[in-house]
Amino acid sequence: MGLPLNPPADSARSARHALSLIATARPPAFITTIAREVHRYNAAQANSQSQQNVHTTTLARAKTEILRVIDILIEKMPGDVVDLLVEVMDIIMYCIEGSLVKKKGLQECFPAICKFYMVGYCDRSHRIAVGARQGSVALYDVRTGKCQNIHGHKGPITAVSFAPDGRYLATYSNADSHISFWQMNTSLLGSIGMLNSAPQLRCIKTYQVPPVQPASPGSQNHLKLARLIWTSNRNVILMAHDGKEHRFMV
């Protein structure tokens, strides 16, 4: 408000500014460091003796600030963020309450992450899919907070998208020139989040697709190569950046 700051407030402002500078100077270091802290926090939370301290840790108090910095990185340095998209989603899932995502959806809770074609959210099943650079798919259950990784492609995943009814997930990798369709597990075990006892994805179809050529050489052109658009519960379009379409049916 333009008023003189007391020493603690001045230190807090300086630290906030310094954190932003560190993050933008070395995005991978910031993302991996925060992700490791989140994993350590989650491990401690699983320990019943640590339950009383979960809301008083420095990490818990910094949720809003962490999301602010992640938002800055996505806007200014998306090429660095996409290489660590699963770690970024781990951080977001920690900072935003699952009940809030379930109620409002990922697009409203954190719209910046939805700019990536490698991220998909299903309103029906409350699941988030994230395509990784290693070719795997990270599937998050918003209700339980659990995540399962499934190997899907031989190269970086270009786009993912859920069918409107949530029964299928389409994944596409321009690196291996394949589009795959996965059937979501609707069993009782899957519905209550027992990810270790019942795989949630089963590949039912795979098609080979001609690779999409980037518009021009550039570090960020691969982020918008192609996207997946469902026209019905069984039909999807692979839309390239140049407007070319490939249509598929599950």
Side-chain angles (χ1 to χ4, degrees):
M1 302 297 292
L3 301 175
L5 297 177
N6 58 33
D10 188 43
S11 296
R13 185 179 63 173
S14 299
R16 184 174 187 264
H17 181 59
L19 183 65
S20 300
L21 293 178
I22 293 170
T24 52
R26 298 183 61 190
F30 173 82
I31 293 171
T32 54
T33 299
I34 299 299
R36 286 172 184 165
E37 285 298 308
V38 168
H39 294 159
R40 188 170 69 172
Y41 169 90
N42 289 336
Q45 189 179 23
N47 184 347
S48 59
Q49 295 180 352
S50 302
Q51 288 290 330
Q52 57 184 355
N53 297 321
V54 295
H55 296 296
T56 60
T57 64
T58 302
L59 190 67
R61 296 195 303 270
K63 288 181 178 181
T64 302
E65 188 64 22
I66 292 171
L67 289 176
R68 184 189 70 85
V69 175
I70 293 294
D71 190 68
I72 291 173
L73 294 181
I74 292 175
E75 179 184 355
K76 295 184 176 181
M77 314 175 90
D80 292 299
V81 175
V82 75
D83 290 335
L84 295 165
L85 209 51
V86 174
E87 287 82 358
V88 170
M89 186 56 71
D90 288 342
I91 296 171
I92 293 172
M93 289 292 292
Y94 165 76
C95 292
I96 302 178
E97 293 293 332
S99 58
L100 186 63
V101 178
K102 182 180 177 181
K103 179 181 179 181
K104 296 186 176 182
L106 185 63
Q107 175 67 44
E108 185 172 343
C109 289
F110 200 72
I113 197 67
C114 297
K115 296 176 182 178
F116 294 101
Y117 293 161
M118 309 85 172
V119 176
Y121 176 69
C122 180
D123 291 310
R124 296 288 296 273
S125 63
H126 306 296
R127 290 188 173 100
I128 299 171
V130 180
R133 300 291 294 172
Q134 299 80 13
S136 60
V137 178
L139 186 69
Y140 297 83
D141 190 327
V142 172
R143 296 165 299 183
T144 64
K146 294 185 178 181
C147 175
Q148 184 182 26
N149 290 288
I150 299 174
H151 188 73
H153 294 269
K154 296 179 180 179
I157 292 182
T158 308
V160 304
S161 183
F162 287 99
D165 63 359
R167 292 184 61 190
Y168 302 103
L169 171 69
T171 62
Y172 168 67
S173 171
N174 193 60
D176 68 6
S177 303
H178 281 85
I179 181 171
S180 297
F181 292 93
W182 307 79
Q183 187 171 31
M184 303 299 297
N185 182 7
T186 56
S187 67
L188 175 62
L189 292 178
S191 66
I192 62 177
M194 297 181 64
L195 306 189
N196 295 328
S197 58
Q200 286 200 286
L201 292 180
R202 180 171 63 90
C203 187
I204 55 175
K205 285 185 180 180
T206 299
Y207 298 98
Q208 189 167 2
V209 187
V212 178
Q213 300 300 324
S216 61
S219 60
Q220 295 186 18
N221 285 327
H222 66 284
L223 299 180
K224 300 289 185 179
L225 274 179
R227 57 177 175 161
L228 294 163
I229 304 171
W230 289 86
T231 57
S232 70
N233 291 329
R234 300 292 297 270
N235 296 276
V236 68
I237 297 174
L238 176 64
M239 176 76 73
H241 66 88
D242 56 6
K244 292 181 179 179
E245 298 180 2
H246 296 277
R247 295 175 179 267
F248 303 90
M249 185 175 72
V250 181

